[in-house]
Amino acid sequence: MNTQSLLFLALALLFPVQLYARDKTDIMVMTNGDRLTCEVKGLDAGVLYVSFDYIDGTASVNWSKVARLESNQLFVVKTEGGAVYTGILRTPDTPADRPVTIQVLAAGKEDLLDRSQIVQMVATSERFWQRFNGEVSSGVIYSKGNQSTQYSLGSQTAYVRERWTALAGFNSSLASSSGTSASTRNSFNFGGRHLLPWNNWFYAGLGAFLQSSEQGIALQSTVGGGIGRYFKNTNRTNISLVFGPAWQSTDYQQSAVPINHQNVAAAIFYGQAQFFKFSKTNLDVTATLLPALSDPGRLRFNANASYYIKIVSNLKWNLSFYGNWDNRPPPGFSGSDYGTSSGLSWTFGLK
């Protein structure tokens, strides 16, 4: 897979299909007594996303301020303890001094959940194209003084089902200035998770393609998988770790040193941490450590971090960092590539 192939894959991510529109007949009652008719889109990071016939765009509601919720839409509901349920939503009558509970009803089965324990609700459907959520981001910087240009482009999308989730993401950056060669970096990542019978445990598969002119990498392909666990999963924080075996194949650009290809068997440790503040900011950090098994002592590490601040509706400003390190690169090649970017992000689907 070359750079053109990576860009082609990115196009598929950059043109997502919106979730279908449905009647706004859901009922939401707030703790102060306000009763609203709306369309519930989902819950994520302590924010309930809803839309109204008389308001343009999607509104963000503090989940802790919701007293009742009723919807005939099918939802995938996840709790802090790691349990997952699918069904329509109802709120039974609850005494004023008791915690609010939510009923999840499906095929004659009824599950009663404490509202404070629900950390995610995703609207689902029997139609494939109506289950996607994600975002598109971009940024451009130009300076006339040294004729320099920097751009970044990215897209993330997730496909959510009751007990499994598939994700894919693309990121591209370019920096050029007068009198120097352009520096480019393109990465495409994909993966999937499936919950195990034990709460908060799952198995996962991971894959990545990387091209980096700074490190002389024409194409680096990584595949791996293993067992993972959610160590914390609340409306404010989500932390998980995956560990298992991996295989990495790297094609290097032509150089004076005759090294064109390397294969490495490794262990993989993949961690993700997300921190949220109601409808204002969120921080997403991922890191991958690959200690080589077939080349003892060699370590490869990459990290990505993005900080988002909401501007209005689905529009956010973001500041991102990426880094890729190899403690034992081939002679004549750089062992690191890192940088930052900032720009605007647009979310789709749930948000």
Side-chain angles (χ1 to χ4, degrees), residues 177-232:
S177 59
S178 179
T180 63
S181 300
S183 174
T184 62
R185 184 181 189 272
N186 299 289
S187 65
F188 176 71
N189 304 283
F190 60 92
R193 297 184 176 189
H194 193 289
L195 292 175
L196 290 167
W198 315 286
N199 287 348
N200 285 323
W201 287 90
F202 58 89
Y203 61 86
L206 306 168
F209 300 102
L210 172 68
Q211 177 273 323
S212 171
S213 61
E214 174 66 20
Q215 291 182 279
I217 297 175
L219 178 63
Q220 185 176 83
S221 305
T222 306
V223 292
I227 301 298
R229 188 178 191 278
Y230 292 103
F231 290 94
K232 193 165 187 178

Short mmCIF file of all heavy atoms in Angstrom, two decimals, residues 177-232:
data_model
loop_
_atom_site.label_atom_id
_atom_site.label_comp_id
_atom_site.label_asym_id
_atom_site.label_seq_id
_atom_site.Cartn_x
_atom_site.Cartn_y
_atom_site.Cartn_z
N SER A 177 8.73 24.56 2.86
CA SER A 177 9.16 25.95 2.82
C SER A 177 10.13 26.12 1.67
O SER A 177 10.71 25.15 1.16
CB SER A 177 9.81 26.37 4.15
OG SER A 177 10.94 25.56 4.43
N SER A 178 10.31 27.35 1.27
CA SER A 178 11.15 27.66 0.12
C SER A 178 12.57 27.15 0.32
O SER A 178 13.20 27.39 1.36
CB SER A 178 11.16 29.17 -0.11
OG SER A 178 11.99 29.51 -1.20
N GLY A 179 13.09 26.41 -0.65
CA GLY A 179 14.47 25.93 -0.61
C GLY A 179 14.67 24.61 0.10
O GLY A 179 15.81 24.14 0.18
N THR A 180 13.62 24.00 0.62
CA THR A 180 13.76 22.72 1.31
C THR A 180 12.76 21.71 0.75
O THR A 180 11.75 22.09 0.14
CB THR A 180 13.51 22.86 2.83
OG1 THR A 180 12.15 23.29 3.05
CG2 THR A 180 14.46 23.87 3.44
N SER A 181 13.04 20.45 0.98
CA SER A 181 12.13 19.41 0.54
C SER A 181 10.92 19.32 1.48
O SER A 181 11.05 19.54 2.68
CB SER A 181 12.84 18.05 0.51
OG SER A 181 13.94 18.09 -0.37
N ALA A 182 9.78 19.01 0.93
CA ALA A 182 8.57 18.90 1.75
C ALA A 182 8.66 17.68 2.66
O ALA A 182 9.20 16.63 2.28
CB ALA A 182 7.34 18.78 0.84
N SER A 183 8.16 17.84 3.88
CA SER A 183 8.11 16.75 4.85
C SER A 183 6.67 16.27 4.95
O SER A 183 5.75 17.07 5.20
CB SER A 183 8.60 17.23 6.21
OG SER A 183 8.44 16.22 7.19
N THR A 184 6.44 14.98 4.75
CA THR A 184 5.09 14.44 4.76
C THR A 184 4.98 13.28 5.73
O THR A 184 5.94 12.54 5.96
CB THR A 184 4.65 13.96 3.36
OG1 THR A 184 5.53 12.89 2.94
CG2 THR A 184 4.70 15.08 2.35
N ARG A 185 3.79 13.14 6.29
CA ARG A 185 3.50 12.01 7.17
C ARG A 185 2.03 11.63 6.97
O ARG A 185 1.14 12.47 7.08
CB ARG A 185 3.73 12.37 8.64
CG ARG A 185 3.52 11.20 9.61
CD ARG A 185 3.77 11.65 11.04
NE ARG A 185 3.78 10.55 11.98
CZ ARG A 185 2.69 10.07 12.59
NH1 ARG A 185 1.49 10.62 12.34
NH2 ARG A 185 2.77 9.05 13.43
N ASN A 186 1.78 10.36 6.67
CA ASN A 186 0.43 9.85 6.48
C ASN A 186 0.26 8.58 7.30
O ASN A 186 1.13 7.70 7.27
CB ASN A 186 0.15 9.54 5.00
CG ASN A 186 0.28 10.77 4.12
OD1 ASN A 186 -0.54 11.66 4.18
ND2 ASN A 186 1.35 10.82 3.32
N SER A 187 -0.83 8.48 8.02
CA SER A 187 -1.09 7.27 8.81
C SER A 187 -2.55 6.88 8.69
O SER A 187 -3.44 7.74 8.64
CB SER A 187 -0.73 7.49 10.28
OG SER A 187 -1.57 8.47 10.87
N PHE A 188 -2.76 5.58 8.62
CA PHE A 188 -4.12 5.02 8.59
C PHE A 188 -4.18 3.93 9.64
O PHE A 188 -3.35 3.01 9.65
CB PHE A 188 -4.43 4.44 7.21
CG PHE A 188 -5.77 3.75 7.14
CD1 PHE A 188 -6.95 4.48 7.18
CD2 PHE A 188 -5.85 2.37 7.05
CE1 PHE A 188 -8.17 3.85 7.13
CE2 PHE A 188 -7.07 1.73 6.99
CZ PHE A 188 -8.25 2.48 7.03
N ASN A 189 -5.12 4.05 10.57
CA ASN A 189 -5.26 3.10 11.67
C ASN A 189 -6.65 2.49 11.67
O ASN A 189 -7.63 3.17 11.34
CB ASN A 189 -5.03 3.81 13.02
CG ASN A 189 -3.69 4.51 13.07
OD1 ASN A 189 -2.66 3.89 13.26
ND2 ASN A 189 -3.71 5.83 12.90
N PHE A 190 -6.74 1.24 12.05
CA PHE A 190 -8.04 0.58 12.15
C PHE A 190 -7.99 -0.44 13.29
O PHE A 190 -6.91 -0.87 13.73
CB PHE A 190 -8.42 -0.10 10.83
CG PHE A 190 -7.44 -1.16 10.39
CD1 PHE A 190 -7.63 -2.49 10.74
CD2 PHE A 190 -6.33 -0.83 9.63
CE1 PHE A 190 -6.74 -3.47 10.35
CE2 PHE A 190 -5.42 -1.81 9.22
CZ PHE A 190 -5.63 -3.13 9.58
N GLY A 191 -9.15 -0.81 13.76
CA GLY A 191 -9.19 -1.79 14.84
C GLY A 191 -10.61 -2.15 15.21
O GLY A 191 -11.58 -1.56 14.74
N GLY A 192 -10.72 -3.14 16.07
CA GLY A 192 -12.03 -3.59 16.53
C GLY A 192 -11.93 -4.15 17.94
O GLY A 192 -10.86 -4.65 18.35
N ARG A 193 -13.03 -4.04 18.69
CA ARG A 193 -13.10 -4.57 20.04
C ARG A 193 -14.37 -5.37 20.21
O ARG A 193 -15.41 -4.99 19.69
CB ARG A 193 -13.06 -3.44 21.08
CG ARG A 193 -11.78 -2.64 21.09
CD ARG A 193 -11.77 -1.60 22.20
NE ARG A 193 -10.51 -0.90 22.27
CZ ARG A 193 -10.14 -0.07 23.23
NH1 ARG A 193 -10.99 0.16 24.25
NH2 ARG A 193 -8.98 0.52 23.22
N HIS A 194 -14.27 -6.47 20.94
CA HIS A 194 -15.44 -7.29 21.25
C HIS A 194 -15.43 -7.61 22.73
O HIS A 194 -14.44 -8.12 23.26
CB HIS A 194 -15.43 -8.58 20.43
CG HIS A 194 -16.73 -9.32 20.44
ND1 HIS A 194 -17.21 -9.97 21.57
CD2 HIS A 194 -17.68 -9.49 19.49
CE1 HIS A 194 -18.37 -10.53 21.29
NE2 HIS A 194 -18.68 -10.24 20.03
N LEU A 195 -16.52 -7.29 23.41
CA LEU A 195 -16.59 -7.52 24.85
C LEU A 195 -16.58 -9.01 25.17
O LEU A 195 -17.21 -9.82 24.49
CB LEU A 195 -17.86 -6.88 25.41
CG LEU A 195 -17.91 -5.35 25.39
CD1 LEU A 195 -19.28 -4.87 25.86
CD2 LEU A 195 -16.81 -4.74 26.24
N LEU A 196 -15.87 -9.36 26.23
CA LEU A 196 -15.87 -10.72 26.75
C LEU A 196 -16.99 -10.87 27.78
O LEU A 196 -17.59 -9.88 28.21
CB LEU A 196 -14.50 -11.00 27.39
CG LEU A 196 -13.34 -11.13 26.40
CD1 LEU A 196 -12.00 -11.09 27.12
CD2 LEU A 196 -13.46 -12.41 25.58
N PRO A 197 -17.29 -12.11 28.21
CA PRO A 197 -18.36 -12.30 29.20
C PRO A 197 -18.10 -11.59 30.53
O PRO A 197 -19.04 -11.29 31.25
CB PRO A 197 -18.39 -13.83 29.39
CG PRO A 197 -17.80 -14.38 28.13
CD PRO A 197 -16.77 -13.39 27.70
N TRP A 198 -16.84 -11.32 30.83
CA TRP A 198 -16.50 -10.64 32.09
C TRP A 198 -16.54 -9.14 31.88
O TRP A 198 -15.94 -8.61 30.95
CB TRP A 198 -15.12 -11.08 32.58
CG TRP A 198 -14.95 -12.56 32.47
CD1 TRP A 198 -15.51 -13.52 33.26
CD2 TRP A 198 -14.21 -13.26 31.47
NE1 TRP A 198 -15.15 -14.76 32.84
CE2 TRP A 198 -14.35 -14.64 31.74
CE3 TRP A 198 -13.42 -12.87 30.38
CZ2 TRP A 198 -13.74 -15.61 30.96
CZ3 TRP A 198 -12.82 -13.83 29.60
CH2 TRP A 198 -12.99 -15.19 29.90
N ASN A 199 -17.23 -8.43 32.75
CA ASN A 199 -17.39 -6.99 32.60
C ASN A 199 -16.04 -6.28 32.51
O ASN A 199 -15.11 -6.57 33.25
CB ASN A 199 -18.18 -6.42 33.78
CG ASN A 199 -19.66 -6.78 33.69
OD1 ASN A 199 -20.12 -7.26 32.67
ND2 ASN A 199 -20.38 -6.56 34.77
N ASN A 200 -15.98 -5.34 31.57
CA ASN A 200 -14.82 -4.47 31.34
C ASN A 200 -13.63 -5.17 30.70
O ASN A 200 -12.57 -4.55 30.51
CB ASN A 200 -14.37 -3.78 32.64
CG ASN A 200 -15.30 -2.66 33.04
OD1 ASN A 200 -15.81 -1.94 32.19
ND2 ASN A 200 -15.54 -2.51 34.33
N TRP A 201 -13.76 -6.45 30.34
CA TRP A 201 -12.72 -7.16 29.60
C TRP A 201 -13.16 -7.33 28.15
O TRP A 201 -14.34 -7.52 27.86
CB TRP A 201 -12.43 -8.52 30.23
CG TRP A 201 -11.68 -8.44 31.52
CD1 TRP A 201 -12.21 -8.36 32.78
CD2 TRP A 201 -10.27 -8.45 31.69
NE1 TRP A 201 -11.23 -8.30 33.73
CE2 TRP A 201 -10.01 -8.36 33.09
CE3 TRP A 201 -9.18 -8.52 30.82
CZ2 TRP A 201 -8.72 -8.34 33.61
CZ3 TRP A 201 -7.89 -8.51 31.35
CH2 TRP A 201 -7.68 -8.42 32.72
N PHE A 202 -12.21 -7.29 27.23
CA PHE A 202 -12.52 -7.44 25.81
C PHE A 202 -11.30 -7.97 25.08
O PHE A 202 -10.18 -7.96 25.59
CB PHE A 202 -12.95 -6.09 25.20
CG PHE A 202 -11.92 -4.99 25.33
CD1 PHE A 202 -10.94 -4.80 24.36
CD2 PHE A 202 -11.91 -4.15 26.44
CE1 PHE A 202 -9.99 -3.80 24.48
CE2 PHE A 202 -10.97 -3.14 26.57
CZ PHE A 202 -10.00 -2.96 25.59
N TYR A 203 -11.52 -8.48 23.86
CA TYR A 203 -10.39 -8.79 23.00
C TYR A 203 -10.41 -7.83 21.82
O TYR A 203 -11.47 -7.33 21.44
CB TYR A 203 -10.37 -10.26 22.54
CG TYR A 203 -11.54 -10.72 21.73
CD1 TYR A 203 -11.56 -10.55 20.34
CD2 TYR A 203 -12.62 -11.37 22.32
CE1 TYR A 203 -12.63 -11.01 19.58
CE2 TYR A 203 -13.69 -11.83 21.57
CZ TYR A 203 -13.68 -11.64 20.20
OH TYR A 203 -14.75 -12.08 19.45
N ALA A 204 -9.25 -7.55 21.28
CA ALA A 204 -9.15 -6.50 20.27
C ALA A 204 -8.14 -6.86 19.19
O ALA A 204 -7.20 -7.63 19.42
CB ALA A 204 -8.73 -5.18 20.93
N GLY A 205 -8.35 -6.30 18.02
CA GLY A 205 -7.41 -6.39 16.91
C GLY A 205 -7.02 -4.98 16.49
O GLY A 205 -7.86 -4.08 16.48
N LEU A 206 -5.74 -4.79 16.16
CA LEU A 206 -5.24 -3.46 15.80
C LEU A 206 -4.43 -3.55 14.51
O LEU A 206 -3.76 -4.56 14.24
CB LEU A 206 -4.34 -2.91 16.92
CG LEU A 206 -4.92 -2.86 18.34
CD1 LEU A 206 -3.81 -2.58 19.34
CD2 LEU A 206 -5.99 -1.78 18.42
N GLY A 207 -4.48 -2.48 13.72
CA GLY A 207 -3.69 -2.42 12.51
C GLY A 207 -3.32 -0.98 12.20
O GLY A 207 -4.06 -0.06 12.56
N ALA A 208 -2.19 -0.78 11.53
CA ALA A 208 -1.77 0.58 11.20
C ALA A 208 -0.85 0.57 9.99
O ALA A 208 -0.08 -0.38 9.79
CB ALA A 208 -1.04 1.22 12.38
N PHE A 209 -0.96 1.63 9.17
CA PHE A 209 -0.05 1.87 8.05
C PHE A 209 0.53 3.26 8.24
O PHE A 209 -0.20 4.21 8.53
CB PHE A 209 -0.77 1.78 6.71
CG PHE A 209 -1.40 0.44 6.44
CD1 PHE A 209 -2.75 0.25 6.60
CD2 PHE A 209 -0.61 -0.63 6.02
CE1 PHE A 209 -3.34 -0.98 6.35
CE2 PHE A 209 -1.18 -1.87 5.77
CZ PHE A 209 -2.55 -2.05 5.94
N LEU A 210 1.84 3.39 8.08
CA LEU A 210 2.51 4.67 8.30
C LEU A 210 3.48 4.96 7.17
O LEU A 210 4.23 4.08 6.74
CB LEU A 210 3.26 4.66 9.63
CG LEU A 210 4.17 5.86 9.93
CD1 LEU A 210 3.35 7.12 10.14
CD2 LEU A 210 5.07 5.58 11.13
N GLN A 211 3.48 6.22 6.71
CA GLN A 211 4.49 6.73 5.78
C GLN A 211 5.07 7.99 6.39
O GLN A 211 4.33 8.89 6.78
CB GLN A 211 3.87 7.03 4.41
CG GLN A 211 4.83 7.64 3.39
CD GLN A 211 4.90 9.16 3.46
OE1 GLN A 211 3.89 9.81 3.71
NE2 GLN A 211 6.08 9.70 3.26
N SER A 212 6.40 8.07 6.52
CA SER A 212 7.05 9.22 7.13
C SER A 212 8.32 9.56 6.37
O SER A 212 9.28 8.77 6.38
CB SER A 212 7.38 8.94 8.61
OG SER A 212 8.19 9.96 9.16
N SER A 213 8.34 10.71 5.72
CA SER A 213 9.54 11.12 5.00
C SER A 213 10.67 11.47 5.96
O SER A 213 11.85 11.30 5.64
CB SER A 213 9.23 12.32 4.10
OG SER A 213 8.78 13.43 4.87
N GLU A 214 10.35 11.96 7.16
CA GLU A 214 11.35 12.33 8.15
C GLU A 214 12.17 11.12 8.59
O GLU A 214 13.38 11.22 8.79
CB GLU A 214 10.69 12.99 9.36
CG GLU A 214 11.60 13.29 10.53
CD GLU A 214 12.64 14.34 10.21
OE1 GLU A 214 12.45 15.10 9.24
OE2 GLU A 214 13.66 14.39 10.92
N GLN A 215 11.51 9.97 8.74
CA GLN A 215 12.22 8.76 9.17
C GLN A 215 12.61 7.87 8.00
O GLN A 215 13.14 6.77 8.21
CB GLN A 215 11.35 7.96 10.14
CG GLN A 215 11.16 8.65 11.49
CD GLN A 215 10.32 7.79 12.43
OE1 GLN A 215 9.11 7.78 12.35
NE2 GLN A 215 11.00 7.10 13.33
N GLY A 216 12.33 8.32 6.79
CA GLY A 216 12.68 7.52 5.62
C GLY A 216 11.83 6.28 5.46
O GLY A 216 12.24 5.31 4.82
N ILE A 217 10.62 6.28 6.04
CA ILE A 217 9.74 5.12 5.98
C ILE A 217 8.81 5.26 4.78
O ILE A 217 7.97 6.17 4.73
CB ILE A 217 8.91 4.98 7.27
CG1 ILE A 217 9.84 4.72 8.46
CG2 ILE A 217 7.88 3.87 7.13
CD1 ILE A 217 9.12 4.69 9.79
N ALA A 218 8.97 4.38 3.79
CA ALA A 218 8.07 4.39 2.64
C ALA A 218 6.73 3.80 3.03
O ALA A 218 5.67 4.33 2.64
CB ALA A 218 8.69 3.59 1.49
N LEU A 219 6.74 2.72 3.79
CA LEU A 219 5.50 2.12 4.31
C LEU A 219 5.85 1.21 5.48
O LEU A 219 6.68 0.32 5.36
CB LEU A 219 4.77 1.32 3.23
CG LEU A 219 3.49 0.63 3.71
CD1 LEU A 219 2.46 1.65 4.16
CD2 LEU A 219 2.91 -0.27 2.63
N GLN A 220 5.19 1.45 6.60
CA GLN A 220 5.34 0.58 7.77
C GLN A 220 3.96 0.01 8.10
O GLN A 220 3.02 0.75 8.35
CB GLN A 220 5.86 1.38 8.96
CG GLN A 220 6.15 0.52 10.19
CD GLN A 220 6.76 1.36 11.29
OE1 GLN A 220 6.06 2.02 12.05
NE2 GLN A 220 8.09 1.35 11.38
N SER A 221 3.86 -1.32 8.08
CA SER A 221 2.60 -2.00 8.34
C SER A 221 2.68 -2.73 9.67
O SER A 221 3.64 -3.47 9.92
CB SER A 221 2.29 -3.01 7.22
OG SER A 221 2.31 -2.37 5.96
N THR A 222 1.68 -2.53 10.51
CA THR A 222 1.65 -3.14 11.83
C THR A 222 0.31 -3.83 12.05
O THR A 222 -0.74 -3.22 11.81
CB THR A 222 1.87 -2.10 12.94
OG1 THR A 222 3.06 -1.37 12.70
CG2 THR A 222 1.95 -2.76 14.31
N VAL A 223 0.34 -5.07 12.49
CA VAL A 223 -0.88 -5.78 12.87
C VAL A 223 -0.64 -6.45 14.21
O VAL A 223 0.47 -6.92 14.50
CB VAL A 223 -1.31 -6.83 11.81
CG1 VAL A 223 -1.74 -6.17 10.53
CG2 VAL A 223 -0.18 -7.82 11.55
N GLY A 224 -1.66 -6.46 15.04
CA GLY A 224 -1.54 -7.08 16.36
C GLY A 224 -2.88 -7.25 17.00
O GLY A 224 -3.92 -6.88 16.44
N GLY A 225 -2.89 -7.81 18.17
CA GLY A 225 -4.14 -8.03 18.87
C GLY A 225 -3.88 -8.65 20.22
O GLY A 225 -2.74 -8.98 20.57
N GLY A 226 -4.95 -8.80 20.99
CA GLY A 226 -4.80 -9.40 22.30
C GLY A 226 -5.98 -9.13 23.19
O GLY A 226 -7.10 -8.87 22.73
N ILE A 227 -5.72 -9.17 24.48
CA ILE A 227 -6.75 -8.98 25.50
C ILE A 227 -6.64 -7.56 26.06
O ILE A 227 -5.55 -7.04 26.24
CB ILE A 227 -6.57 -10.00 26.64
CG1 ILE A 227 -6.67 -11.43 26.08
CG2 ILE A 227 -7.62 -9.79 27.73
CD1 ILE A 227 -8.00 -11.75 25.47
N GLY A 228 -7.79 -6.95 26.34
CA GLY A 228 -7.80 -5.60 26.88
C GLY A 228 -8.76 -5.47 28.05
O GLY A 228 -9.62 -6.33 28.27
N ARG A 229 -8.61 -4.36 28.77
CA ARG A 229 -9.48 -4.10 29.91
C ARG A 229 -9.72 -2.60 30.05
O ARG A 229 -8.81 -1.80 29.84
CB ARG A 229 -8.87 -4.63 31.20
CG ARG A 229 -9.83 -4.56 32.40
CD ARG A 229 -9.20 -5.14 33.66
NE ARG A 229 -10.19 -5.31 34.73
CZ ARG A 229 -10.59 -4.34 35.54
NH1 ARG A 229 -10.06 -3.13 35.43
NH2 ARG A 229 -11.50 -4.57 36.48
N TYR A 230 -10.97 -2.25 30.39
CA TYR A 230 -11.30 -0.88 30.77
C TYR A 230 -11.01 -0.73 32.27
O TYR A 230 -11.63 -1.37 33.10
CB TYR A 230 -12.77 -0.58 30.52
CG TYR A 230 -13.15 -0.53 29.06
CD1 TYR A 230 -13.82 -1.59 28.46
CD2 TYR A 230 -12.84 0.57 28.28
CE1 TYR A 230 -14.17 -1.55 27.12
CE2 TYR A 230 -13.18 0.62 26.93
CZ TYR A 230 -13.84 -0.45 26.36
OH TYR A 230 -14.18 -0.41 25.04
N PHE A 231 -10.04 0.11 32.60
CA PHE A 231 -9.70 0.32 34.00
C PHE A 231 -10.60 1.37 34.64
O PHE A 231 -10.83 1.35 35.84
CB PHE A 231 -8.23 0.74 34.12
CG PHE A 231 -7.29 -0.38 33.81
CD1 PHE A 231 -6.77 -0.53 32.53
CD2 PHE A 231 -6.93 -1.30 34.78
CE1 PHE A 231 -5.90 -1.56 32.24
CE2 PHE A 231 -6.06 -2.34 34.50
CZ PHE A 231 -5.55 -2.47 33.21
N LYS A 232 -11.09 2.30 33.82
CA LYS A 232 -12.03 3.29 34.31
C LYS A 232 -12.93 3.69 33.16
O LYS A 232 -12.47 3.97 32.06
CB LYS A 232 -11.31 4.52 34.87
CG LYS A 232 -12.22 5.44 35.67
CD LYS A 232 -11.43 6.42 36.51
CE LYS A 232 -12.36 7.21 37.42
NZ LYS A 232 -11.61 8.16 38.30
#
